[in-house]
Amino acid sequence: MGIPPLESGLDGRGVAIAFIDYGFDILHPCFRTANGRTRFKCIVDQNTGRELDESVINQLIEECEQAGSRSVADTQYDPHANYFGRSGVEAGAHGTSIASIAAGSPVAGFRGVAPAADLIGIQLALPDHHWKEEDELGRPTWRSWQPASEPVWRGWRSYDEASAIVDALDHVYDIACRHRAKALVVNLSIGAYAGAHDGRSTVERKITELARRGANGSGLPCTVVVSAGNAGLEEGHYCGYAEPGRPFSFEWRMSREDTTQNKL
């Protein structure tokens, strides 16, 4: 954030950008127009099942400004519902940061990639195992893993388990169509270490389905941007080239001193 504006002249006008993430600060200046109105067409909170449309968000903004406090908005929609400790709240909601970079409004003092795009937010509900690798005290949860009772440790994120993401993808597509967007870009900055990443998971199949709707002219043009993950420094990746129709193999070596439950 804070980088000079792009020189292309494109600002995302007419395009809907949807963020499937964990929490959005509806009062943040990045998501406001020059006259203070919201740029969110809709925010859906899967934790409560509530859908806040543009008029409701604008009303909350107005009430907060009149009261001089954000408490009115926070009682109606909690962007920090998915955080386990106060550190997450103090750092700000993850969705706020991601959406600011992608579509921050110039009124905030800097410009995101698409400052004129309409915004859609889906706050994901946490799965049963909470996708967390640390408990409330910051201790690694794999230390209590019992292979006998749980052969595959559920702490690793896997797109195969993410029905909430599939529901969110369908929901943002419907919302974008409802608001007659010219195109839809979906940002999915939710990493998944586990799984084959070969296109066969439920989430990957849904992404392919949405992309094909626009490609074959049967629906709204849709692009889904998926994060590559933040684990590059963990040396848990392999880079190589596989030629079609030819065998390809590689070795995966682990240190004897590594006692952690690894991603394999």
Side-chain angles (χ1 to χ4, degrees):
M1 295 184 289
I3 61 175
L6 299 177
E7 301 299 332
S8 65
L10 301 176
D11 59 7
R13 196 173 306 274
V15 175
I17 302 182
F19 302 93
I20 299 174
D21 216 293
Y22 291 119
F24 310 93
D25 182 357
I26 61 175
L27 301 180
H28 199 288
C30 276
F31 314 134
R32 310 273 287 276
T33 63
N35 63 4
R37 308 285 285 179
T38 186
R39 292 172 55 211
F40 274 105
K41 292 299 182 183
C42 182
I43 291 180
V44 179
D45 185 355
Q46 289 186 341
N47 297 288
T48 62
R50 187 176 183 190
E51 184 170 318
L52 286 74
D53 63 21
E54 185 176 7
S55 62
V56 172
I57 297 174
N58 279 324
Q59 182 178 350
L60 290 174
I61 291 174
E62 184 177 343
E63 291 177 1
C64 287
E65 290 178 344
Q66 291 176 350
S69 169
R70 63 171 301 124
S71 60
V72 176
D74 289 342
T75 56
Q76 297 296 315
Y77 164 64
D78 182 7
H80 298 103
N82 298 96
Y83 289 86
F84 315 112
R86 293 302 306 174
S87 60
V89 176
E90 293 164 1
H94 185 266
T96 299
S97 300
I98 298 300
S100 299
I101 296 170
S105 174
V107 298
F110 60 87
R111 167 183 156 152
V113 176
D118 293 327
L119 309 181
I120 301 170
I122 302 285
Q123 178 153 340
L124 285 170
L126 287 174
D128 291 339
H129 56 75
H130 290 184
W131 274 6
K132 58 181 178 178
E133 297 168 15
E134 293 182 349
D135 62 17
E136 289 79 0
L137 299 178
R139 298 171 300 196
T141 52
W142 55 262
R143 292 187 184 278
S144 59
W145 175 58
Q146 299 294 328
S149 60
E150 188 181 0
V152 178
W153 184 54
R154 296 189 302 171
W156 296 123
R157 304 176 183 184
S158 171
Y159 282 151
D160 281 320
E161 305 164 358
S163 59
I165 295 179
V166 174
D167 292 342
L169 286 166
D170 279 329
H171 210 149
V172 296
Y173 191 90
D174 291 342
I175 293 171
C177 291
R178 188 194 315 162
H179 288 280
R180 301 183 181 279
K182 296 178 181 178
L184 170 65
V185 178
V186 183
N187 187 89
L188 187 59
S189 291
I190 305 296
Y193 294 149
H197 294 266
D198 59 1
R200 293 185 294 178
S201 73
T202 53
V203 171
E204 290 167 313
R205 291 199 303 270
K206 176 57 65 175
I207 291 173
T208 300
E209 175 195 326
L210 295 183
R212 284 176 176 169
R213 289 185 194 177
N216 61 24
S218 64
L220 179 72
C222 178
T223 298
V224 181
V225 181
V226 182
S227 65
N230 300 327
L233 297 179
E234 294 183 6
E235 299 182 352
H237 294 73
Y238 179 84
C239 180
Y241 180 75
E243 297 183 18
R246 300 188 63 178
F248 178 75
S249 62
F250 63 92
E251 292 184 357
W252 194 290
R253 292 181 292 182
M254 293 181 58
S255 169
R256 291 182 180 274
E257 288 72 34
D258 185 357
T259 59
T260 64
Q261 200 260 334
N262 65 80
K263 298 178 179 65
L264 296 180

